[in-house]
Amino acid sequence: MTDTKQHYVVERSTRTSRFASGAAAAIILALALAPWWAGLGELRILIEIFYYIALAQMWSLLAGYAGLVSIGQQAFVGLGGYLLFALAIFGGLHPIVALVVAGLVTAVAALPIALVAFRLTGAYFAIGTWVIAEVLRLSFAQFPALGGGSGISLPAGIVRDMAGSPEGRQFLVYWVALAIAFASIALVLALLRSRWGLAMTAIRDSRPASESLGVEAYRTKLMVYVLAAGMTGLSGGLIFLQKLRISPDAAFSVSDWTALVIFTVVIGGIGSVEGPIIGVILFFLLREVAADWGSWYLILMGSIAVVTMLFAPRGIWGLISSRYDLELFPVGRRLRVDPERRDRKE
Amino acid sequence: MPDPVLQTRGLTAFYGDFQALFGIDFEVLAGETIAIIGANGAGKSTFLRSVTGMLSTRGQGITLFGQPVDGVPPHELVARGLAMVPEGRRLFPSLTVEENLLIGGYRRRGSYWTLNRIYELFPILAERRHNGGTELSGGQQQMVAIGRALMSDPKLLLCDEISLGLAPIVIRDIYASLPRIREHGTTIVVVEQDVTQALAVADRVYCFQEGHVSLTGRPADLSRQEITTAYFGAAEEHA
Amino acid sequence: MDWVNAVVQGVLLGGLYALFASGLSLMFGVMRFVNIAHGDFIVMAAYGALVIVGATGLYPLWTMIAIVPGMALLGFVGQRVLLNRTLGEDILPPLLVTFGLSIIIQNVLLEVFSADSQKLQAGWLETASIPIAGGLNIGLMPLLIFVSALIVIGGLQTFLYRTPVGRVLRATSDDQETVRLMGADNARIFAYATAIASAVVGIAGVYMAMRTNFDPSVGPARLLFAFEAVIIGGLGSLWGTLVGGIILGVAQAIGAQIDPGFQILAGHIAFLFVLVMRPQGLLPRMRG
């Protein structure tokens, strides 16, 4: 009788992922140097791509890992944007400093919001977050100092003092956007690799029927929600620092900051780090082609997302990774048979 | 010899990578009462889930009333004459006792089991017909669950752990109803951890252990020693 | 006096919100499923009525004869061919598919009907009112809608508690898996539930079109009102949903009395207040 005993080694990185980290370093470098090789128009598109990547990572982190499906992320985009404007205009802070503070304050503000929203679970949580975003939109419209319903522009003086020249300002915004995109990816990776990551996966994989959360699961969800809100608020600040004008409808737009984000994540692949990036890149490629189609463009995006959800619920990245067993960002610990150590017991 | 009502040949079942059943050969003939006994985790519930279509059993060649079960959803099996008393009773809490019974008759096949006959079988239920299903004692709830299954006039009645959590005297009352159910030609399979009860009613018994059939036969032909070994495994025997 | 009037008008408005909400409540009760496109279906029904009135010149109220069965059929088919595929342990597919549908419906309506605000002219019904004590007037149309809401909810309640299909719907709401063991086909039961809910959506849509201005973008707000009424009232209770609708309507009317800009905000705040103070809602379904 032959009994084969195999030795397993636990590893986090795969050969592909080691290759990917080398490639990532090269890509970061190339992107950091973009102001020297790209025109202002391309920089503007890259800035948009970066903040959409950050928004998509945060939504995917919530829905794909923590089981928190939110339709109210626009609350934090708008809050970040308005806080930036308020801190720069009334607090006299440099816009970049104001941006960081806006992100932090958004994270703090997410705490009481979560305490209300977490009273709802599942689909009702989703709509609850939407109601909260609406409350913020309607409330900001009531502040005359921030332009009320019609909105406010960042005063020319503040814009001028931000950097030496209009180009310098664009470069600064670009680098901040790049930093936010990478910080969002790093945040997701760090969370998934921490002990929280294991807890989150356990929460996600537990039956939705067991909706009564343990204290530990509740705290983990709360922490993830607050961190995601902070990063989303930071992105929101950046979005309106680039646009230089904010209004309640633009700041708290469900279609711009949540619907499109959800569609890109679903199409790219929910519950992975790669999926949201792929989704955002596809979204921008599609936009280049279909930007003039008006509402047909949204109809197309929505239809692709619905079809993806029905027939390939793990999105494009899910299809690729299951076929080729790929993982670019090493998150899960993998079990690998160690071919060197295989004893045979006769 | 009567045709088998339910038959499996080499049935296997998996939960993901975990194999729960390893080649179960099982057969129940029309009119028989069969007991499946075994410890927790022996695979009894998995077996029931497989033959009622709750677990996917494609290509496994299970036959029920002479027809394959492959991929047939549970509600179709009920239409063919299967009824189940699920583990834990699973009454509908927002329905009254009578409404729970009526739901059981959603797919009535015959005409023998009516509300009145159920109330004759379990007179206490008639008194409590308008109570909420979950306001009853455990034993009464079990009676509702059995009555509910009978309301479809089944050819085969599967009872999953009907004695679980009940006092011995209540268990005796419930088991006393089985011969009356059997009189009307219903084939019965009881899945039990309570071996004494099971052996008392069964024509034949199957003992499951770790996903295998460890023993089968007529209760009268089996020694206590054999059953203990088949139930607990060889390790326990020497303990 | 203005305040009393605001409360009375708010109660009547609550009838419309209860109509928005009862379909959502029924679907959640039976399937544990929330249709994010619920508001957009209401708007779709409103545009359906608009098209029929435009083509035939019928009095708006009569469009219900076509809209209600039409919506029921659409709901039945939609549930069978699309939504049933999304149901399961995971809440993401139904949420995201209906969210996608919501965006698709809004934009298709926008392409077909433009962003212009529409309203069905209901003639004398819009202006007729019944004077009651102290100079208060109750508009005939708001009253009609409120009474309709009472009839619809009473009818749904009777259907659920007095008919065999209603009984199976309630059993499904308790335990989807066990109901299959009773011989019921979930896919078909879900389609019945959606058909009934969609019929109510049809009624709500026609009334909305007669009572307020609408355009393709107003669906999500109707979803939020419906949702708030359901949560305020307590899950699984249709009469609770009516109470929730009335509380929402009164909160909005009082908000509007303070400042027109506060109308919607006041409703949302009332909802959040109830959620914090009494998360199970005001009239949750009693369980044994």
Side-chain angles (χ1 to χ4, degrees):
Chain A
M1 202 179 133
T2 308
D3 182 15
T4 308
K5 236 187 178 173
Q6 289 172 333
H7 280 268
Y8 294 95
V9 279
V10 177
E11 50 179 36
R12 266 184 180 159
S13 58
T14 61
R15 197 183 308 165
T16 5
S17 76
R18 279 191 293 271
F19 169 77
S21 51
I27 291 172
I28 295 177
L29 191 68
L31 287 175
L33 298 175
W36 286 279
W37 55 260
L40 283 180
E42 284 135 13
L43 281 189
R44 202 166 50 238
I45 290 178
L46 283 173
I47 292 170
E48 275 188 81
I49 291 180
F50 293 154
Y51 63 64
Y52 263 108
I53 284 180
L55 295 178
Q57 288 295 353
M58 290 307 106
W59 190 83
S60 169
L61 174 69
L62 291 176
Y65 292 103
L68 295 166
V69 186
S70 166
I71 309 183
Q73 289 306 93
Q74 68 275 20
F76 303 121
V77 172
L79 207 51
Y82 266 106
L83 282 168
L84 169 82
F85 273 54
L87 289 164
I89 296 172
F90 306 117
L93 296 181
H94 185 277
I96 301 298
V97 179
L99 177 69
V100 175
V101 178
L104 290 173
V105 175
T106 306
V108 173
L111 201 64
I113 289 178
L115 294 181
V116 176
F118 279 24
R119 290 181 168 246
L120 299 162
T121 53
Y124 279 162
F125 171 81
I127 309 181
T129 58
W130 196 353
V131 171
I132 292 168
E134 281 297 288
V135 168
L136 289 174
R137 180 177 70 84
L138 295 164
S139 302
F140 275 99
Q142 298 292 324
F143 277 113
L146 289 168
S150 51
I152 188 171
S153 293
L154 203 57
I158 294 176
V159 177
R160 208 176 323 109
D161 295 345
M162 221 174 111
S165 64
E167 280 189 345
R169 187 181 65 80
Q170 189 77 339
F171 292 173
L172 191 59
V173 171
Y174 173 83
W175 282 315
V176 173
L178 179 66
I180 288 176
F182 277 91
S184 70
I185 295 171
L187 175 68
V188 175
L189 285 174
L191 273 175
L192 295 183
R193 287 177 151 199
S194 69
R195 69 184 186 88
W196 304 101
L198 285 177
M200 275 195 295
T201 321
I203 297 168
R204 179 184 56 176
D205 296 343
S206 67
R207 284 169 50 93
S210 57
E211 273 168 358
S212 54
L213 288 176
V215 177
E216 188 68 12
Y218 185 90
R219 281 196 194 137
T220 305
K221 285 194 171 199
L222 192 64
M223 184 202 65
V224 172
Y225 188 76
V226 166
L227 286 176
M231 190 58 85
T232 304
L234 207 55
S235 312
L238 176 91
I239 290 167
F240 292 97
L241 183 58
Q242 195 209 9
K243 292 188 187 293
L244 299 177
R245 182 174 176 77
I246 196 166
S247 69
D249 289 348
F252 297 98
S253 160
V254 66
S255 60
D256 287 349
W257 313 130
T258 299
L260 281 174
V261 169
I262 292 180
F263 292 164
T264 56
V265 175
V266 168
I267 294 168
I270 211 164
S272 69
V273 184
E274 295 87 348
I277 301 174
I278 292 173
V280 169
I281 291 171
L282 267 175
F283 160 61
F284 277 87
L285 289 177
L286 195 65
R287 204 177 70 170
E288 288 302 302
V289 181
D292 307 330
W293 297 1
S295 38
W296 289 111
Y297 169 61
L298 272 170
I299 295 169
L300 181 69
M301 281 293 285
S303 309
I304 297 176
V306 167
V307 170
T308 308
M309 201 69 232
L310 287 175
F311 298 104
R314 293 190 55 229
I316 291 173
W317 182 250
L319 292 177
I320 296 174
S321 64
S322 65
R323 170 158 303 180
Y324 301 107
D325 191 31
L326 274 183
E327 193 174 63
L328 296 183
F329 296 98
V331 172
R333 292 165 181 80
R334 297 178 150 230
L335 269 186
R336 187 170 67 83
V337 177
D338 186 348
E340 308 287 297
R341 297 192 51 193
R342 174 176 286 189
D343 343 313
R344 204 153 274 217
K345 215 167 58 178
E346 302 292 334
Chain B
M1 195 168 135
D3 292 331
V5 168
L6 171 66
Q7 191 175 44
T8 72
R9 285 277 169 266
L11 177 69
T12 58
F14 292 85
Y15 293 106
D17 289 338
F18 175 74
Q19 185 163 8
L21 296 180
F22 299 82
I24 301 288
D25 293 332
F26 179 90
E27 186 175 77
V28 48
L29 304 178
E32 271 190 313
T33 297
I34 298 287
I36 300 176
I37 58 172
N40 247 334
K44 307 185 302 289
S45 291
T46 307
F47 179 75
L48 281 191
R49 287 177 62 81
S50 301
V51 300
T52 51
M54 306 294 276
L55 267 183
S56 170
T57 53
R58 250 168 230 290
Q60 294 257 24
I62 303 175
T63 58
L64 182 69
F65 314 122
Q67 286 178 295
V69 165
D70 281 15
V72 178
H75 61 92
E76 286 298 325
L77 299 178
V78 173
R80 290 186 195 171
L82 176 81
M84 175 136 173
V85 183
E87 185 182 347
R89 309 183 267 275
R90 304 281 288 262
L91 299 189
F92 301 109
S94 62
L95 271 56
T96 63
V97 167
E98 188 152 303
E99 285 177 323
N100 266 283
L101 294 175
L102 288 169
I103 287 286
Y106 186 79
R107 287 276 183 113
R108 281 182 74 74
R109 300 178 49 263
S111 57
Y112 181 78
W113 288 107
T114 57
L115 277 180
N116 281 338
R117 288 213 165 93
I118 302 288
Y119 291 146
E120 253 171 57
L121 185 66
F122 301 118
I124 184 73
L125 297 188
E127 290 169 33
R128 316 215 55 178
R129 63 208 292 174
H130 298 304
N131 282 87
T134 44
E135 292 166 19
L136 275 57
S137 72
Q140 290 165 355
Q141 288 189 31
Q142 193 64 69
M143 292 172 192
V144 177
I146 294 171
R148 186 179 64 178
L150 289 176
M151 283 292 286
S152 64
D153 262 301
K155 288 194 273 184
L156 173 63
L157 179 70
L158 303 178
C159 301
D160 195 358
E161 307 277 13
I162 47 175
S163 68
L164 206 66
L166 300 181
I169 186 160
V170 181
I171 296 175
R172 219 181 311 142
D173 282 353
I174 287 180
Y175 266 86
S177 68
L178 294 187
R180 274 217 48 201
I181 296 168
R182 193 180 169 167
E183 272 171 37
H184 301 285
T186 306
T187 309
I188 303 175
V189 174
V190 292
V191 169
E192 263 301 349
Q193 286 190 50
D194 185 329
V195 179
T196 319
Q197 276 306 336
L199 294 183
V201 294
D203 300 317
R204 284 189 301 124
V205 57
Y206 284 82
C207 187
F208 279 28
Q209 190 192 112
E210 292 178 353
H212 301 270
V213 173
S214 53
L215 182 71
T216 175
R218 303 184 160 278
D221 303 339
L222 303 174
S223 73
R224 203 172 176 80
Q225 181 67 39
E226 272 179 302
I227 293 170
T228 311
T229 310
Y231 192 96
F232 292 111
E236 291 294 304
E237 192 184 3
H238 305 292
Chain C
M1 206 66 243
D2 287 349
W3 293 97
V4 177
N5 185 50
V7 170
V8 171
Q9 303 310 329
V11 169
L12 295 176
L13 181 60
L16 184 63
Y17 291 167
L19 281 175
F20 289 165
S22 38
L24 194 73
S25 179
L26 182 69
M27 283 175 72
F28 181 80
V30 174
M31 292 177 265
R32 299 280 174 265
F33 166 76
V34 176
N35 177 9
I36 304 283
H38 184 76
D40 305 294
F41 284 132
I42 294 172
V43 176
M44 209 162 75
Y47 274 103
L50 186 76
V51 169
I52 293 175
V53 169
T56 63
L58 272 176
Y59 188 69
L61 214 47
W62 302 129
T63 61
M64 277 190 201
I65 295 168
I67 292 292
V68 171
M71 287 302 290
L73 184 67
L74 192 70
F76 187 89
V77 174
Q79 185 70 40
R80 288 227 73 149
V81 303
L82 181 66
L83 300 181
N84 274 342
R85 290 167 165 274
T86 68
L87 296 178
E89 297 265 291
D90 192 355
I91 62 158
L92 261 175
L95 262 180
L96 298 187
V97 166
T98 56
F99 186 62
L101 278 182
S102 160
I103 302 285
I104 293 169
I105 292 171
Q106 283 171 46
N107 285 285
V108 169
L109 290 175
L110 187 64
E111 279 296 323
V112 178
F113 296 100
S114 85
D116 295 346
S117 193
Q118 308 280 359
K119 188 167 179 300
L120 285 183
Q121 299 306 322
W124 63 273
L125 193 58
E126 285 180 40
T127 48
S129 67
I130 303 167
I132 54 169
L136 274 179
N137 280 303
I138 288 183
L140 202 54
M141 176 133 72
L143 185 66
L144 172 69
I145 296 175
F146 189 82
V147 171
S148 302
L150 291 181
I151 293 170
V152 165
I153 289 178
L156 284 176
Q157 200 77 4
T158 308
F159 168 76
L160 285 174
Y161 283 87
R162 298 269 180 273
T163 66
V165 176
R167 192 162 57 220
V168 177
L169 289 177
R170 281 187 298 136
T172 308
S173 159
D174 280 349
D175 187 341
Q176 289 186 9
E177 191 171 82
T178 303
V179 98
R180 299 174 73 199
L181 287 176
M182 301 298 120
D185 176 3
N186 276 351
R188 180 182 300 240
I189 290 171
F190 291 168
Y192 287 147
T194 304
I196 295 160
S198 302
V200 179
V201 161
I203 297 172
V206 174
Y207 278 140
M208 183 191 76
M210 290 166 64
R211 184 167 172 165
T212 62
N213 291 315
F214 62 97
D215 65 70
S217 70
V218 302
R222 309 307 112 168
L223 165 74
L224 297 188
F225 297 161
F227 164 73
E228 290 171 338
V230 170
I231 299 283
I232 293 173
L235 289 177
S237 159
L238 282 170
W239 291 115
T241 298
L242 178 68
V243 173
I246 290 173
I247 289 174
L248 186 64
V250 170
Q252 286 190 1
I254 289 175
Q257 186 70 28
I258 297 167
D259 179 324
F262 278 154
Q263 182 187 347
I264 309 299
L265 192 56
H268 290 326
I269 287 169
F271 156 74
L272 292 176
F273 183 77
V274 172
L275 185 61
V276 169
M277 291 298 156
R278 205 178 148 81
Q280 72 275 37
L282 298 176
L283 298 177
R285 180 166 63 181
M286 304 290 273
R287 285 217 166 166

